[in-house]
Amino acid sequence: MAMGTFAALVVGMAAAAALGQEAPAIRTQGGVAQLIVGGKPFLILGGELGNSSSGTAAQADEILPKLARLHFNTVLMPVAWNQIEPEEGRFDFSILDHWIDVAREQKVHLVLLWFGSWKNALSEYAPAWVLADAKRFPREIAADGTPTEILSPFGEETARSDSRAFAALMHEVHGRDAQQQTVLMVQVENEIGFLGVGGRDRSAVANRLFAGPVPAALTAYLRTHEAEAPGEAATPINPAGHTWKEVFGEAADEAFMAWEYGVFANQVVKAGKAEDPLPMYMNAQLPAPFERAGDYPSGAPLPRMQSVYRAAAPAIDFYAPDIYWPDFEDWVARYRAAGNPVFVPEARLDLAAGNALYVYGEARGFGFSPFAVDSLPADGTGPDAGIVGVDAVLSQLSDVILEAQQQDRIRALVLHESSERPAQTVALGGFLFRAMLAHTWPARQLAASDGAMMVIERGAGEFWVVGSGLTVSIQRDPDTDDQAAQIVSVDEMTNVNGQWVAERRLNGDQTDQGRALLMDAHAIRVYRVRMVTYARQGD
Ligand code: DGJ
């Protein structure tokens, strides 16, 4: 080897080492779980693609540059089993490879969504050679004895074939991307669960296993992890029982399916992790209030099934909710209380602006990703495009947010006219921030039907507030001391070439004569608020 080549190799290796080549991982520090990429915490400003948006290479050329321009730093994209393994044992990664190349060029990361045996609980993305052989790849049987079109988790060949395809996928990703780390994480299957009356597969093998004892590994786990999902009803009602009904009562069908799907997914994930140790998670479709298991996918990784999944699938890193229901904050809190890092892989695009601030600020989440972001117009405007303005600002504040998350110096809230909650308060740094939806002045009519803010404590008495649509009054928190407090200054901040500068000092009518922060009704802005505290007169 010529000296020059050797020197170049050494420099290259040193540079690679300096890049911090350990795979992306979840790290919990200061009570907050963050995603570590290249040795540093990373905030996923994500967006998931529509289901039919990543089936060709050409779609990457159109979609990824647009999403990069709209400030998404991570795109969640489906990878379909039937696309990568059209014939058994023959793999074709040409489309995925192109997506990775274009993502890298555009400086966006990817999270891959493995649409394997199940997507929305159904099996549409399995290859034709799987769907054509119900003997080798058995289907779930409905309560009336008729076979469904859905692959059964009891199919051993199905688990083997799905795992082999997933391992091939991760082998490809590792070979192509271990250095660059364009791909950050992988979702395994999609919204798993049994759909149908009775809430479980009624095949002969399923019936036999359901009539038998709960596996010893599960009961042993339940005995030692009783309080794993506090406040969640179904896991378990009686860990000392033997049959599924004795242990789980009315949730027996659901717990039984959760165990089987968990065991299946664990096999898939283990095969994938042997090729590439990226974080791997599962998502869930959430039930409507009072909905029965089977009407929603029964055996999904819901908080109440968390212990069953943890016992069945220790290789899965965490579980994440797809939140389309109005009680967004509640679902985030439930997954978090069950011990998961906070990552929301799917959510409503039209409500994404406020919910993003909530996830990063209040739940100290590492990622949020509204669904169907490729449907946004290229100029980033329109009724669903609020997230574009939020991500534009958050991409400039990521490091500040990540540090504030670790130090517990960040809060957030969301208000909607429709939720009929007139005001809400967060406490931070010795102050109470009480927010109401913004009103016009002097007519005092509602100026915004949605509002949200993230509050970051940046120094003693200095807070940065990011958001829109709210009027915020700030007072001393009486639990801190008995001082009084007053706003000293409010500045609208802007980022010029990486430096934050005050663009406008707000006062007079724009602060209700110094009494409140009056946010813009619609545009996301960053405000710097300085407070003073003082002893009350006569104290
Ligand atoms: C949840 C699924 O995970 C997505 O792939 C998509 O089907 C949305 N629902 C709804 O469009």
Side-chain angles (χ1 to χ4, degrees):
M1 185 187 288
M3 220 30 223
T5 319
F6 177 73
L9 184 69
V10 171
V11 170
M13 283 164 60
L19 277 174
Q21 301 298 335
E22 76 264 36
I26 311 284
R27 186 180 70 196
T28 301
Q29 207 186 329
V32 59
Q34 296 182 316
L35 179 67
I36 307 299
V37 181
K40 291 194 312 200
F42 181 79
L43 207 59
I44 290 186
L45 307 176
E48 181 160 328
L49 299 181
N51 295 159
S52 308
S53 302
S54 57
T56 68
Q59 284 170 302
D61 302 330
E62 189 198 321
I63 291 172
L64 288 175
K66 175 174 92 171
L67 294 181
R69 274 198 307 276
L70 298 183
H71 310 286
F72 294 98
N73 67 18
T74 305
V75 171
L76 280 65
M77 64 167 288
V79 177
W81 186 6
N82 58 13
Q83 182 197 92
I84 65 158
E85 195 182 4
E87 288 163 31
E88 187 167 7
R90 182 175 73 77
F91 291 98
D92 178 354
F93 294 107
S94 52
I95 294 174
L96 173 67
D97 289 346
H98 185 69
W99 275 80
I100 293 176
D101 290 346
V102 179
R104 205 174 281 157
E105 265 164 44
Q106 294 298 324
K107 300 191 171 39
V108 294
H109 290 279
L110 296 173
V111 171
L112 305 184
L113 313 174
W114 173 234
F115 286 7
S117 296
W118 299 284
K119 190 272 175 191
N120 289 39
L122 305 183
S123 300
E124 181 195 0
Y125 290 82
W129 55 268
V130 171
L131 297 180
D133 191 347
K135 227 175 151 146
R136 191 171 157 215
F137 305 106
R139 309 305 170 88
E140 290 180 324
I141 306 294
D144 65 3
T146 54
T148 69
E149 83 273 36
I150 309 165
L151 289 168
S152 162
F154 298 95
E156 287 173 14
E157 272 286 286
T158 314
R160 246 194 307 276
S161 302
D162 190 325
S163 303
R164 191 187 52 197
F166 187 66
L169 167 64
M170 296 318 299
H171 181 82
E172 177 73 10
V173 170
H174 192 257
R176 208 172 178 81
D177 194 50
Q179 298 284 315
Q180 293 89 340
Q181 303 185 346
T182 301
V183 178
L184 299 180
M185 303 198 294
V186 185
Q187 177 188 292
V188 183
E189 311 292 343
N190 188 81
E191 294 193 348
I192 222 160
F194 175 88
L195 283 177
V197 177
R200 73 169 171 85
D201 185 11
R202 306 278 161 159
S203 62
V205 55
N207 287 343
R208 182 172 49 74
L209 288 170
F210 187 72
V214 172
L218 176 52
T219 40
Y221 185 92
L222 295 177
R223 271 191 222 107
T224 47
H225 294 78
E226 258 179 72
E228 206 160 61
E232 300 290 344
T235 48
I237 60 159
N238 175 18
H242 294 286
T243 66
W244 290 92
K245 283 208 166 134
E246 281 168 8
V247 177
F248 292 100
E250 283 188 359
D253 294 320
E254 192 177 5
F256 174 71
M257 292 312 292
W259 172 260
E260 290 303 334
Y261 284 119
V263 168
F264 188 113
N266 195 54
Q267 186 175 335
V268 175
V269 166
K270 270 173 72 182
K273 285 207 173 188
E275 301 292 340
D276 192 331
L278 289 178
M280 296 187 188
Y281 71 93
M282 294 179 79
N283 65 336
Q285 180 187 320
L286 305 175
F290 308 113
E291 206 175 13
R292 276 180 72 81
D295 290 337
Y296 67 86
S298 171
L302 299 176
R304 67 205 226 115
M305 289 296 143
Q306 212 60 183
S307 308
V308 179
Y309 266 90
R310 291 240 167 78
I316 308 260
D317 291 283
F318 65 94
Y319 301 91
D322 294 344
I323 315 177
Y324 293 91
W325 301 121
D327 43 355
F328 182 89
E329 296 108 296
D330 197 38
W331 279 110
V332 170
R334 287 171 68 180
Y335 271 79
R336 192 178 177 205
N340 295 294
V342 177
F343 175 67
V344 179
E346 290 184 41
R348 281 175 58 169
L349 187 54
D350 57 337
L351 299 178
N355 288 338
L357 295 177
Y358 180 84
V359 166
Y360 304 118
E362 188 66 15
R364 296 197 274 162
F366 73 76
F368 173 74
S369 161
F371 184 71
V373 287
D374 50 296
S375 66
L376 288 168
D379 64 0
T381 60
D384 291 346
I387 187 66
V388 175
V390 169
D391 282 357
V393 170
L394 297 192
S395 59
Q396 297 164 336
L397 274 174
S398 284
D399 289 345
V400 171
I401 292 169
L402 287 160
E403 193 186 358
Q405 285 183 338
Q406 285 177 7
Q407 297 172 347
D408 197 16
R409 291 172 187 266
I410 188 164
R411 296 287 182 274
L413 61 78
V414 189
L415 279 178
H416 301 293
E417 185 187 3
S418 57
S419 63
E420 290 176 3
R421 190 166 52 197
Q424 205 183 327
T425 303
V426 288
L428 182 61
F431 296 88
L432 297 177
F433 297 78
R434 181 174 169 78
M436 295 173 65
L437 286 172
H439 284 67
T440 60
W441 191 87
R444 297 189 191 283
Q445 278 160 353
L446 204 60
S449 43
D450 302 291
M453 68 174 182
M454 171 190 279
V455 187
I456 306 169
E457 185 187 9
R458 299 216 56 193
E462 179 176 323
F463 299 89
W464 286 34
V465 184
V466 182
S468 68
L470 299 176
T471 293
V472 188
S473 54
I474 309 167
Q475 64 185 75
R476 192 67 177 157
D477 184 343
D479 285 338
T480 301
D481 54 34
D482 57 4
Q483 297 247 307
Q486 194 170 341
I487 293 176
V488 177
S489 63
V490 178
D491 293 305
E492 225 174 73
M493 307 299 286
T494 189
N495 195 291
V496 182
N497 301 326
Q499 295 295 318
W500 286 99
V501 293
E503 191 178 28
R504 196 157 74 115
R505 165 121 331 164
L506 300 180
N507 41 41
D509 295 344
Q510 283 67 48
T511 59
D512 194 9
Q513 323 309 323
R515 289 186 153 174
L517 164 63
L518 306 182
M519 294 177 144
D520 189 289
H522 302 291
I524 296 287
R525 299 209 194 288
V526 180
Y527 303 92
R528 182 179 62 196
V529 181
R530 290 196 168 122
M531 301 294 299
V532 67
T533 58
Y534 56 94
R536 288 171 206 281
Q537 234 166 336
D539 281 1

